[in-house]
Amino acid sequence: MNNKDTSTDVILIGAGVMSATLGTLLKEISPHTDITIFEKLDQPAKESSNAWNNAGTGHSALCELNYTPENPDGSIDITKALNINEQFQLSKQFWSYLVNNGLIEQPEDFIRSVPHMSWVRGEDDVDFLKKRYEALVENPLFDDMEFTDEMEELREWLPLMMKNRIQTEPLAATRVDTGTDMNFGALSEKLFQYLAKQNVNLNYEHTVLDLKRTQEGAWEVKVQNNQDETIEYHTAKHVFIGAGGGALPLLQKTGIPESKQLGGFPVSGVFLACDNQDVVKDHHAKVYGKAAVGAPPMSVPHLDTRVIDGKETLLFGPFAGFSPKFLKTGSNMDLINSVKPNNALTMVLSGAKNLSLTKYLIEQLAMSKEEQMEDLRAFVPTAETEDWDVVTAGQRVQVIKDTETEKGKLQFGSEVVTSEDGSISALLGASPGASVAIELMIDIVRDCFPEEFKEWEPKIKEMIPTYGKNLSENPDLLKDVHKTTAEALRLTK
Ligand SMILES: Cc1cc2nc3c(=O)[nH]c(=O)nc-3n(C[C@H](O)[C@H](O)[C@H](O)COP(=O)(O)OP(=O)(O)OC[C@H]3O[C@@H](n4cnc5c(N)ncnc54)[C@H](O)[C@@H]3O)c2cc1C
């Protein structure tokens, strides 16, 4: 042991929104837990959680059409939409608790009201949107959703998108004024500032290289201090791998059975960004369209009002692409290095099944800025090339795994992997990730600390009063949640 080596209760790897959320949750429910955090970069939230690297949508299925697929009989399946909306209500309550209790301040730095709209063209998609609206509006979670296919109203809702539009086909939109724009980077920074005050041992410029189980059943974490390149060894009874795209390689190093037959498929992305205020002032919404046929759900085009670094900006995209890196700051060898004897078949089968996806991503990657502008002009006919800059978004690593029914299945959501004894957990995948972080982290705490969880549950319910309750079936409670969270988070329509 050198004098920097430590032993602690919990080690969190990575300083993104997931570790920030788990650390804060643990400090609230069990203040005496010793926590150490290792982050390879020199600041928190510089990878996926950074505002420029994700779309900042407070995912609650108000506008994302991929959460409401069409059944073969033409009806709309709203199961996923209900689930994600319920999860986002938990997130809002958790953040409200943090603000109301002075743990973090100025919620407008990380959450703002921005209407969420879906917008479609053509008879089939207009039919789909109408059916989706009718299926959702019956539910209290979506009862403030509006639908229109009237040109006058569309012009009012979407002035920038309707300006100089030559109408050749039916158009329709839905609108919910209680949608949100999130800055997960600002939220993470606030949480790490709070954690630093709680004596959490925060180590930037420390890269985790390896993890080994000790004879006592704890974990020894090998860490490189990037400033002087020395190697340190730290042990903990519990480890959370919140390393974003870097989580899969670290999980593989643990050798736990749950890490086998598991792979990752990296997807890169770019946005077009506009901060010309003459353009920005005419759009105030997050407007999600419908993905092109054959396109993956993460490439649904959307035109979003964002507030980043105090400035209102429009972001369009993300255009998906292929890059072998697992992190923006990763290596071109990440994908190759993640192929192991135990997941080679899983990866090969997934590759064979998803050739059209790979082709789609390579085509997207090859798009010139002018071709991207053409896609944007479907949304904003008057868009001028000089007003829009290309911004590289974060890397997503979609999970590939063997399920009971399918080998090499490509997953598009967020996945938690926990060892059977609950000593180690990892968070893989992407959206709705950050929006539903608190529910994911509570699940981890429940699985990793089953005994203590019973004792901690009342505090969780104090922080998140509707935890464990179904809000779709409790409209009065839902109204109360909307009111109290809007007040705490200063959400004004
Ligand atoms: C293009 C795009 C759009 C998205 N849009 C949305 C959206 O609209 N709404 C939404 O809710 N979610 C969205 N997401 C998903 C969301 O960004 C993620 O779910 C979330 O940021 C993941 O947080 P994290 O803490 O797990 O990872 P990250 O924020 O990536 O943090 C991981 C950290 O771990 C560090 N790290 C990695 N390896 C190591 C190592 N070996 N040692 C030490 N540190 C390490 C990294 O440097 C990084 O700081 C989007 C993602 C992308 C890429």
mmCIF file of all heavy atoms in Angstrom, residues 13-19 38-41 47-49 53-57 59 184 206-208 242-244 246 250 271 288 318 327 393-396 427 430-435, ligand 1:
data_model
loop_
_atom_site.group_PDB
_atom_site.id
_atom_site.type_symbol
_atom_site.label_atom_id
_atom_site.label_comp_id
_atom_site.label_asym_id
_atom_site.label_seq_id
_atom_site.Cartn_x
_atom_site.Cartn_y
_atom_site.Cartn_z
ATOM 1 N N ILE A 13 -17.275 5.511 -10.063
ATOM 2 C CA ILE A 13 -16.338 5.755 -11.172
ATOM 3 C C ILE A 13 -17.027 6.645 -12.198
ATOM 4 O O ILE A 13 -18.075 6.273 -12.751
ATOM 5 C CB ILE A 13 -15.888 4.432 -11.818
ATOM 6 C CG1 ILE A 13 -15.285 3.510 -10.756
ATOM 7 C CG2 ILE A 13 -14.891 4.705 -12.947
ATOM 8 C CD1 ILE A 13 -14.954 2.113 -11.272
ATOM 9 N N GLY A 14 -16.437 7.818 -12.461
ATOM 10 C CA GLY A 14 -17.003 8.748 -13.439
ATOM 11 C C GLY A 14 -17.744 9.877 -12.742
ATOM 12 O O GLY A 14 -18.427 9.650 -11.737
ATOM 13 N N ALA A 15 -17.586 11.096 -13.268
ATOM 14 C CA ALA A 15 -18.278 12.250 -12.683
ATOM 15 C C ALA A 15 -19.270 12.831 -13.674
ATOM 16 O O ALA A 15 -19.184 13.992 -14.088
ATOM 17 C CB ALA A 15 -17.262 13.298 -12.227
ATOM 18 N N GLY A 16 -20.221 11.994 -14.092
ATOM 19 C CA GLY A 16 -21.342 12.457 -14.916
ATOM 20 C C GLY A 16 -22.582 12.508 -14.044
ATOM 21 O O GLY A 16 -22.517 12.363 -12.814
ATOM 22 N N VAL A 17 -23.738 12.684 -14.694
ATOM 23 C CA VAL A 17 -24.979 12.870 -13.925
ATOM 24 C C VAL A 17 -25.367 11.621 -13.123
ATOM 25 O O VAL A 17 -25.999 11.722 -12.071
ATOM 26 C CB VAL A 17 -26.125 13.330 -14.873
ATOM 27 C CG1 VAL A 17 -26.602 12.213 -15.787
ATOM 28 C CG2 VAL A 17 -27.279 13.915 -14.084
ATOM 29 N N MET A 18 -24.929 10.442 -13.584
ATOM 30 C CA MET A 18 -25.321 9.226 -12.860
ATOM 31 C C MET A 18 -24.610 9.129 -11.510
ATOM 32 O O MET A 18 -25.260 8.922 -10.477
ATOM 33 C CB MET A 18 -25.026 7.977 -13.694
ATOM 34 C CG MET A 18 -25.826 7.902 -14.972
ATOM 35 S SD MET A 18 -27.608 7.796 -14.642
ATOM 36 C CE MET A 18 -28.245 8.025 -16.297
ATOM 37 N N SER A 19 -23.275 9.284 -11.491
ATOM 38 C CA SER A 19 -22.556 9.243 -10.214
ATOM 39 C C SER A 19 -23.016 10.396 -9.324
ATOM 40 O O SER A 19 -23.126 10.242 -8.102
ATOM 41 C CB SER A 19 -21.054 9.345 -10.431
ATOM 42 O OG SER A 19 -20.560 8.194 -11.048
ATOM 43 N N PHE A 38 -13.755 8.766 -8.666
ATOM 44 C CA PHE A 38 -12.622 8.936 -9.583
ATOM 45 C C PHE A 38 -13.146 9.352 -10.959
ATOM 46 O O PHE A 38 -14.055 8.723 -11.505
ATOM 47 C CB PHE A 38 -11.827 7.629 -9.724
ATOM 48 C CG PHE A 38 -11.204 7.199 -8.429
ATOM 49 C CD1 PHE A 38 -11.687 6.097 -7.738
ATOM 50 C CD2 PHE A 38 -10.138 7.913 -7.894
ATOM 51 C CE1 PHE A 38 -11.132 5.719 -6.526
ATOM 52 C CE2 PHE A 38 -9.566 7.538 -6.682
ATOM 53 C CZ PHE A 38 -10.068 6.436 -6.001
ATOM 54 N N GLU A 39 -12.579 10.411 -11.498
ATOM 55 C CA GLU A 39 -12.964 10.917 -12.823
ATOM 56 C C GLU A 39 -11.687 11.146 -13.621
ATOM 57 O O GLU A 39 -10.767 11.811 -13.140
ATOM 58 C CB GLU A 39 -13.758 12.225 -12.666
ATOM 59 C CG GLU A 39 -13.881 13.054 -13.943
ATOM 60 C CD GLU A 39 -14.523 12.316 -15.121
ATOM 61 O OE1 GLU A 39 -15.617 11.759 -14.969
ATOM 62 O OE2 GLU A 39 -13.885 12.298 -16.215
ATOM 63 N N LYS A 40 -11.652 10.632 -14.838
ATOM 64 C CA LYS A 40 -10.392 10.739 -15.592
ATOM 65 C C LYS A 40 -10.123 12.148 -16.128
ATOM 66 O O LYS A 40 -8.973 12.524 -16.320
ATOM 67 C CB LYS A 40 -10.341 9.695 -16.703
ATOM 68 C CG LYS A 40 -11.256 9.934 -17.870
ATOM 69 C CD LYS A 40 -10.988 8.882 -18.939
ATOM 70 C CE LYS A 40 -11.618 9.283 -20.237
ATOM 71 N NZ LYS A 40 -11.004 8.754 -21.413
ATOM 72 N N LEU A 41 -11.181 12.941 -16.345
ATOM 73 C CA LEU A 41 -10.976 14.302 -16.866
ATOM 74 C C LEU A 41 -10.760 15.278 -15.704
ATOM 75 O O LEU A 41 -10.885 14.909 -14.538
ATOM 76 C CB LEU A 41 -12.171 14.708 -17.735
ATOM 77 C CG LEU A 41 -12.437 13.758 -18.919
ATOM 78 C CD1 LEU A 41 -13.657 14.211 -19.696
ATOM 79 C CD2 LEU A 41 -11.213 13.673 -19.831
ATOM 80 N N GLU A 47 -18.392 14.630 -20.546
ATOM 81 C CA GLU A 47 -18.778 13.673 -21.610
ATOM 82 C C GLU A 47 -20.293 13.778 -21.851
ATOM 83 O O GLU A 47 -20.795 14.889 -21.963
ATOM 84 C CB GLU A 47 -18.337 12.251 -21.227
ATOM 85 C CG GLU A 47 -16.833 12.025 -21.423
ATOM 86 C CD GLU A 47 -16.444 11.745 -22.892
ATOM 87 O OE1 GLU A 47 -17.325 11.478 -23.719
ATOM 88 O OE2 GLU A 47 -15.234 11.794 -23.204
ATOM 89 N N SER A 48 -21.032 12.672 -21.889
ATOM 90 C CA SER A 48 -22.442 12.714 -22.323
ATOM 91 C C SER A 48 -23.309 13.689 -21.535
ATOM 92 O O SER A 48 -24.273 14.237 -22.075
ATOM 93 C CB SER A 48 -23.070 11.330 -22.207
ATOM 94 O OG SER A 48 -22.515 10.486 -23.146
ATOM 95 N N SER A 49 -22.998 13.904 -20.258
ATOM 96 C CA SER A 49 -23.877 14.757 -19.445
ATOM 97 C C SER A 49 -23.720 16.235 -19.777
ATOM 98 O O SER A 49 -24.550 17.052 -19.369
ATOM 99 C CB SER A 49 -23.599 14.543 -17.951
ATOM 100 O OG SER A 49 -23.809 13.196 -17.610
ATOM 101 N N ASN A 53 -23.422 17.984 -25.426
ATOM 102 C CA ASN A 53 -23.247 16.599 -25.887
ATOM 103 C C ASN A 53 -24.534 15.794 -25.918
ATOM 104 O O ASN A 53 -24.548 14.668 -26.419
ATOM 105 C CB ASN A 53 -22.226 15.876 -24.996
ATOM 106 C CG ASN A 53 -20.823 16.385 -25.260
ATOM 107 O OD1 ASN A 53 -20.578 16.994 -26.296
ATOM 108 N ND2 ASN A 53 -19.910 16.159 -24.337
ATOM 109 N N ASN A 54 -25.610 16.319 -25.318
ATOM 110 C CA ASN A 54 -26.894 15.603 -25.390
ATOM 111 C C ASN A 54 -27.981 16.591 -25.783
ATOM 112 O O ASN A 54 -27.719 17.788 -25.900
ATOM 113 C CB ASN A 54 -27.203 14.891 -24.059
ATOM 114 C CG ASN A 54 -27.367 15.864 -22.922
ATOM 115 O OD1 ASN A 54 -28.299 16.649 -22.890
ATOM 116 N ND2 ASN A 54 -26.424 15.833 -21.977
ATOM 117 N N ALA A 55 -29.191 16.087 -25.983
ATOM 118 C CA ALA A 55 -30.250 16.940 -26.522
ATOM 119 C C ALA A 55 -30.990 17.716 -25.436
ATOM 120 O O ALA A 55 -31.845 18.549 -25.747
ATOM 121 C CB ALA A 55 -31.231 16.094 -27.324
ATOM 122 N N GLY A 56 -30.703 17.421 -24.170
ATOM 123 C CA GLY A 56 -31.302 18.198 -23.085
ATOM 124 C C GLY A 56 -32.810 18.070 -22.960
ATOM 125 O O GLY A 56 -33.461 18.921 -22.349
ATOM 126 N N THR A 57 -33.366 17.017 -23.505
ATOM 127 C CA THR A 57 -34.814 16.836 -23.364
ATOM 128 C C THR A 57 -35.107 16.177 -22.025
ATOM 129 O O THR A 57 -34.502 15.154 -21.701
ATOM 130 C CB THR A 57 -35.352 15.942 -24.506
ATOM 131 O OG1 THR A 57 -34.991 16.557 -25.748
ATOM 132 C CG2 THR A 57 -36.860 15.786 -24.437
ATOM 133 N N HIS A 59 -36.899 13.832 -20.826
ATOM 134 C CA HIS A 59 -37.725 12.818 -21.493
ATOM 135 C C HIS A 59 -38.927 12.437 -20.641
ATOM 136 O O HIS A 59 -38.787 11.939 -19.530
ATOM 137 C CB HIS A 59 -36.907 11.553 -21.765
ATOM 138 C CG HIS A 59 -35.988 11.683 -22.938
ATOM 139 N ND1 HIS A 59 -36.437 12.040 -24.192
ATOM 140 C CD2 HIS A 59 -34.657 11.511 -23.052
ATOM 141 C CE1 HIS A 59 -35.414 12.080 -25.025
ATOM 142 N NE2 HIS A 59 -34.312 11.770 -24.370
ATOM 143 N N PHE A 184 -28.096 18.944 -18.114
ATOM 144 C CA PHE A 184 -27.637 17.909 -17.179
ATOM 145 C C PHE A 184 -26.202 18.185 -16.701
ATOM 146 O O PHE A 184 -25.811 17.717 -15.637
ATOM 147 C CB PHE A 184 -27.735 16.523 -17.825
ATOM 148 C CG PHE A 184 -29.159 16.106 -18.096
ATOM 149 C CD1 PHE A 184 -29.644 16.006 -19.397
ATOM 150 C CD2 PHE A 184 -30.017 15.824 -17.051
ATOM 151 C CE1 PHE A 184 -30.958 15.637 -19.643
ATOM 152 C CE2 PHE A 184 -31.334 15.450 -17.291
ATOM 153 C CZ PHE A 184 -31.802 15.358 -18.595
ATOM 154 N N HIS A 206 -8.064 11.207 -12.486
ATOM 155 C CA HIS A 206 -7.755 9.868 -11.985
ATOM 156 C C HIS A 206 -8.512 8.853 -12.854
ATOM 157 O O HIS A 206 -9.748 8.851 -12.850
ATOM 158 C CB HIS A 206 -8.191 9.709 -10.525
ATOM 159 C CG HIS A 206 -7.224 10.297 -9.548
ATOM 160 N ND1 HIS A 206 -6.990 11.650 -9.464
ATOM 161 C CD2 HIS A 206 -6.408 9.704 -8.627
ATOM 162 C CE1 HIS A 206 -6.088 11.873 -8.518
ATOM 163 N NE2 HIS A 206 -5.708 10.717 -8.006
ATOM 164 N N THR A 207 -7.765 8.063 -13.604
ATOM 165 C CA THR A 207 -8.398 7.092 -14.503
ATOM 166 C C THR A 207 -8.398 5.706 -13.867
ATOM 167 O O THR A 207 -7.353 5.223 -13.422
ATOM 168 C CB THR A 207 -7.615 7.021 -15.841
ATOM 169 O OG1 THR A 207 -7.565 8.329 -16.396
ATOM 170 C CG2 THR A 207 -8.278 6.063 -16.828
ATOM 171 N N VAL A 208 -9.575 5.099 -13.822
ATOM 172 C CA VAL A 208 -9.654 3.732 -13.299
ATOM 173 C C VAL A 208 -9.194 2.778 -14.398
ATOM 174 O O VAL A 208 -9.701 2.811 -15.532
ATOM 175 C CB VAL A 208 -11.096 3.405 -12.842
ATOM 176 C CG1 VAL A 208 -11.206 1.933 -12.473
ATOM 177 C CG2 VAL A 208 -11.474 4.297 -11.669
ATOM 178 N N GLY A 242 -20.113 4.382 -13.210
ATOM 179 C CA GLY A 242 -20.923 5.397 -13.902
ATOM 180 C C GLY A 242 -20.046 6.099 -14.922
ATOM 181 O O GLY A 242 -20.023 7.327 -14.984
ATOM 182 N N ALA A 243 -19.327 5.303 -15.698
ATOM 183 C CA ALA A 243 -18.305 5.851 -16.595
ATOM 184 C C ALA A 243 -18.849 6.117 -17.995
ATOM 185 O O ALA A 243 -18.071 6.254 -18.946
ATOM 186 C CB ALA A 243 -17.112 4.908 -16.637
ATOM 187 N N GLY A 244 -20.183 6.203 -18.157
ATOM 188 C CA GLY A 244 -20.766 6.481 -19.469
ATOM 189 C C GLY A 244 -20.313 5.439 -20.481
ATOM 190 O O GLY A 244 -20.376 4.233 -20.232
ATOM 191 N N GLY A 246 -17.456 4.603 -21.107
ATOM 192 C CA GLY A 246 -16.332 3.839 -20.546
ATOM 193 C C GLY A 246 -16.780 2.756 -19.567
ATOM 194 O O GLY A 246 -15.936 2.053 -18.996
ATOM 195 N N LEU A 250 -14.899 -1.339 -18.336
ATOM 196 C CA LEU A 250 -14.590 -1.552 -16.912
ATOM 197 C C LEU A 250 -15.417 -2.716 -16.362
ATOM 198 O O LEU A 250 -14.917 -3.536 -15.584
ATOM 199 C CB LEU A 250 -14.862 -0.272 -16.106
ATOM 200 C CG LEU A 250 -13.887 0.883 -16.366
ATOM 201 C CD1 LEU A 250 -14.315 2.138 -15.615
ATOM 202 C CD2 LEU A 250 -12.459 0.502 -15.956
ATOM 203 N N PHE A 271 -24.916 17.891 -34.032
ATOM 204 C CA PHE A 271 -26.057 18.813 -34.090
ATOM 205 C C PHE A 271 -25.705 19.962 -35.027
ATOM 206 O O PHE A 271 -24.520 20.288 -35.203
ATOM 207 C CB PHE A 271 -26.307 19.452 -32.716
ATOM 208 C CG PHE A 271 -26.794 18.518 -31.644
ATOM 209 C CD1 PHE A 271 -25.998 18.223 -30.544
ATOM 210 C CD2 PHE A 271 -28.058 17.962 -31.705
ATOM 211 C CE1 PHE A 271 -26.445 17.389 -29.530
ATOM 212 C CE2 PHE A 271 -28.521 17.125 -30.699
ATOM 213 C CZ PHE A 271 -27.714 16.837 -29.610
ATOM 214 N N TYR A 288 -40.165 17.391 -32.020
ATOM 215 C CA TYR A 288 -39.673 16.090 -32.481
ATOM 216 C C TYR A 288 -40.457 15.633 -33.704
ATOM 217 O O TYR A 288 -41.692 15.652 -33.697
ATOM 218 C CB TYR A 288 -39.828 15.034 -31.374
ATOM 219 C CG TYR A 288 -38.668 14.980 -30.389
ATOM 220 C CD1 TYR A 288 -38.329 16.094 -29.633
ATOM 221 C CD2 TYR A 288 -37.920 13.818 -30.220
ATOM 222 C CE1 TYR A 288 -37.267 16.046 -28.734
ATOM 223 C CE2 TYR A 288 -36.856 13.765 -29.321
ATOM 224 C CZ TYR A 288 -36.536 14.886 -28.581
ATOM 225 O OH TYR A 288 -35.487 14.840 -27.691
ATOM 226 N N PRO A 318 -30.079 14.985 -33.415
ATOM 227 C CA PRO A 318 -28.710 14.754 -33.825
ATOM 228 C C PRO A 318 -28.666 13.882 -35.072
ATOM 229 O O PRO A 318 -29.481 12.972 -35.236
ATOM 230 C CB PRO A 318 -28.110 13.998 -32.633
ATOM 231 C CG PRO A 318 -29.272 13.330 -31.956
ATOM 232 C CD PRO A 318 -30.483 14.132 -32.279
ATOM 233 N N LEU A 327 -16.064 6.857 -25.901
ATOM 234 C CA LEU A 327 -16.220 8.173 -25.267
ATOM 235 C C LEU A 327 -15.728 9.193 -26.293
ATOM 236 O O LEU A 327 -14.926 8.850 -27.163
ATOM 237 C CB LEU A 327 -15.339 8.290 -24.017
ATOM 238 C CG LEU A 327 -15.738 7.458 -22.786
ATOM 239 C CD1 LEU A 327 -14.561 7.325 -21.823
ATOM 240 C CD2 LEU A 327 -16.917 8.093 -22.062
ATOM 241 N N ALA A 393 -21.712 16.001 -31.032
ATOM 242 C CA ALA A 393 -22.456 15.599 -29.824
ATOM 243 C C ALA A 393 -21.692 14.501 -29.086
ATOM 244 O O ALA A 393 -20.591 14.103 -29.493
ATOM 245 C CB ALA A 393 -23.842 15.099 -30.227
ATOM 246 N N GLY A 394 -22.269 13.997 -28.002
ATOM 247 C CA GLY A 394 -21.619 12.947 -27.215
ATOM 248 C C GLY A 394 -21.699 11.598 -27.911
ATOM 249 O O GLY A 394 -22.455 11.412 -28.864
ATOM 250 N N GLN A 395 -20.870 10.663 -27.409
ATOM 251 C CA GLN A 395 -20.908 9.287 -27.922
ATOM 252 C C GLN A 395 -21.957 8.502 -27.133
ATOM 253 O O GLN A 395 -22.051 8.632 -25.926
ATOM 254 C CB GLN A 395 -19.555 8.608 -27.689
ATOM 255 C CG GLN A 395 -18.492 8.978 -28.679
ATOM 256 C CD GLN A 395 -18.769 8.429 -30.071
ATOM 257 O OE1 GLN A 395 -19.047 9.189 -30.987
ATOM 258 N NE2 GLN A 395 -18.706 7.137 -30.261
ATOM 259 N N ARG A 396 -22.734 7.691 -27.832
ATOM 260 C CA ARG A 396 -23.611 6.749 -27.131
ATOM 261 C C ARG A 396 -23.054 5.368 -27.375
ATOM 262 O O ARG A 396 -22.568 5.082 -28.469
ATOM 263 C CB ARG A 396 -25.016 6.745 -27.725
ATOM 264 C CG ARG A 396 -25.667 8.097 -27.830
ATOM 265 C CD ARG A 396 -26.988 7.899 -28.534
ATOM 266 N NE ARG A 396 -27.513 9.164 -29.010
ATOM 267 C CZ ARG A 396 -28.709 9.628 -28.689
ATOM 268 N NH1 ARG A 396 -29.493 8.963 -27.890
ATOM 269 N NH2 ARG A 396 -29.135 10.764 -29.176
ATOM 270 N N LEU A 427 -23.906 1.275 -15.176
ATOM 271 C CA LEU A 427 -24.997 1.850 -15.969
ATOM 272 C C LEU A 427 -24.527 1.936 -17.410
ATOM 273 O O LEU A 427 -23.524 2.589 -17.706
ATOM 274 C CB LEU A 427 -25.325 3.238 -15.411
ATOM 275 C CG LEU A 427 -26.595 3.970 -15.829
ATOM 276 C CD1 LEU A 427 -26.463 4.703 -17.129
ATOM 277 C CD2 LEU A 427 -27.827 3.060 -15.881
ATOM 278 N N ALA A 430 -27.977 4.640 -23.326
ATOM 279 C CA ALA A 430 -28.172 6.099 -23.393
ATOM 280 C C ALA A 430 -29.601 6.470 -23.008
ATOM 281 O O ALA A 430 -30.112 5.993 -22.003
ATOM 282 C CB ALA A 430 -27.808 6.594 -24.781
ATOM 283 N N SER A 431 -30.252 7.292 -23.803
ATOM 284 C CA SER A 431 -31.561 7.850 -23.460
ATOM 285 C C SER A 431 -32.553 6.740 -23.105
ATOM 286 O O SER A 431 -32.490 5.672 -23.705
ATOM 287 C CB SER A 431 -32.123 8.629 -24.640
ATOM 288 O OG SER A 431 -31.197 9.584 -25.044
ATOM 289 N N PRO A 432 -33.484 6.962 -22.197
ATOM 290 C CA PRO A 432 -33.767 8.232 -21.515
ATOM 291 C C PRO A 432 -32.856 8.519 -20.335
ATOM 292 O O PRO A 432 -33.114 9.443 -19.562
ATOM 293 C CB PRO A 432 -35.206 8.040 -21.045
ATOM 294 C CG PRO A 432 -35.329 6.574 -20.772
ATOM 295 C CD PRO A 432 -34.471 5.917 -21.811
ATOM 296 N N GLY A 433 -31.768 7.755 -20.216
ATOM 297 C CA GLY A 433 -30.750 7.895 -19.179
ATOM 298 C C GLY A 433 -30.895 9.035 -18.181
ATOM 299 O O GLY A 433 -31.493 8.888 -17.116
ATOM 300 N N ALA A 434 -30.312 10.174 -18.533
ATOM 301 C CA ALA A 434 -30.193 11.254 -17.560
ATOM 302 C C ALA A 434 -31.544 11.688 -16.989
ATOM 303 O O ALA A 434 -31.651 11.998 -15.801
ATOM 304 C CB ALA A 434 -29.501 12.445 -18.236
ATOM 305 N N SER A 435 -32.586 11.698 -17.824
ATOM 306 C CA SER A 435 -33.903 12.157 -17.362
ATOM 307 C C SER A 435 -34.460 11.274 -16.258
ATOM 308 O O SER A 435 -35.277 11.714 -15.454
ATOM 309 C CB SER A 435 -34.908 12.156 -18.525
ATOM 310 O OG SER A 435 -34.509 13.054 -19.501
HETATM 311 C C1 LIG B 1 -26.334 12.693 -28.542
HETATM 312 C C2 LIG B 1 -26.974 12.371 -27.220
HETATM 313 C C3 LIG B 1 -28.233 12.894 -26.927
HETATM 314 C C4 LIG B 1 -28.842 12.602 -25.697
HETATM 315 N N1 LIG B 1 -30.015 13.215 -25.394
HETATM 316 C C5 LIG B 1 -30.559 13.037 -24.166
HETATM 317 C C6 LIG B 1 -31.718 13.764 -23.813
HETATM 318 O O1 LIG B 1 -32.235 14.568 -24.580
HETATM 319 N N2 LIG B 1 -32.248 13.548 -22.587
HETATM 320 C C7 LIG B 1 -31.693 12.652 -21.706
HETATM 321 O O2 LIG B 1 -32.227 12.482 -20.617
HETATM 322 N N3 LIG B 1 -30.584 11.956 -22.026
HETATM 323 C C8 LIG B 1 -29.996 12.135 -23.231
HETATM 324 N N4 LIG B 1 -28.856 11.466 -23.553
HETATM 325 C C9 LIG B 1 -28.319 10.484 -22.603
HETATM 326 C C10 LIG B 1 -27.579 11.161 -21.450
HETATM 327 O O3 LIG B 1 -26.670 12.105 -21.954
HETATM 328 C C11 LIG B 1 -26.870 10.071 -20.642
HETATM 329 O O4 LIG B 1 -27.836 9.140 -20.171
HETATM 330 C C12 LIG B 1 -26.142 10.603 -19.421
HETATM 331 O O5 LIG B 1 -25.431 11.789 -19.665
HETATM 332 C C13 LIG B 1 -25.190 9.518 -18.920
HETATM 333 O O6 LIG B 1 -24.533 9.984 -17.768
HETATM 334 P P1 LIG B 1 -23.309 9.196 -17.179
HETATM 335 O O7 LIG B 1 -22.987 9.853 -15.894
HETATM 336 O O8 LIG B 1 -23.622 7.737 -17.161
HETATM 337 O O9 LIG B 1 -22.151 9.352 -18.276
HETATM 338 P P2 LIG B 1 -21.199 10.574 -18.650
HETATM 339 O O10 LIG B 1 -21.844 11.888 -18.487
HETATM 340 O O11 LIG B 1 -20.612 10.247 -19.977
HETATM 341 O O12 LIG B 1 -20.078 10.515 -17.539
HETATM 342 C C14 LIG B 1 -19.164 9.446 -17.471
HETATM 343 C C15 LIG B 1 -17.872 9.976 -16.891
HETATM 344 O O13 LIG B 1 -16.992 8.871 -16.644
HETATM 345 C C16 LIG B 1 -15.670 9.254 -16.962
HETATM 346 N N5 LIG B 1 -14.885 8.047 -17.214
HETATM 347 C C17 LIG B 1 -14.996 7.189 -18.249
HETATM 348 N N6 LIG B 1 -14.115 6.176 -18.120
HETATM 349 C C18 LIG B 1 -13.443 6.388 -16.956
HETATM 350 C C19 LIG B 1 -12.399 5.703 -16.269
HETATM 351 N N7 LIG B 1 -11.869 4.571 -16.750
HETATM 352 N N8 LIG B 1 -11.929 6.232 -15.110
HETATM 353 C C20 LIG B 1 -12.455 7.380 -14.596
HETATM 354 N N9 LIG B 1 -13.437 8.072 -15.212
HETATM 355 C C21 LIG B 1 -13.924 7.577 -16.368
HETATM 356 C C22 LIG B 1 -15.859 10.139 -18.200
HETATM 357 O O14 LIG B 1 -14.753 10.984 -18.397
HETATM 358 C C23 LIG B 1 -17.126 10.901 -17.845
HETATM 359 O O15 LIG B 1 -16.872 12.108 -17.196
HETATM 360 C C24 LIG B 1 -28.206 11.740 -24.762
HETATM 361 C C25 LIG B 1 -26.940 11.221 -25.054
HETATM 362 C C26 LIG B 1 -26.315 11.548 -26.254
HETATM 363 C C27 LIG B 1 -24.931 11.029 -26.515
#
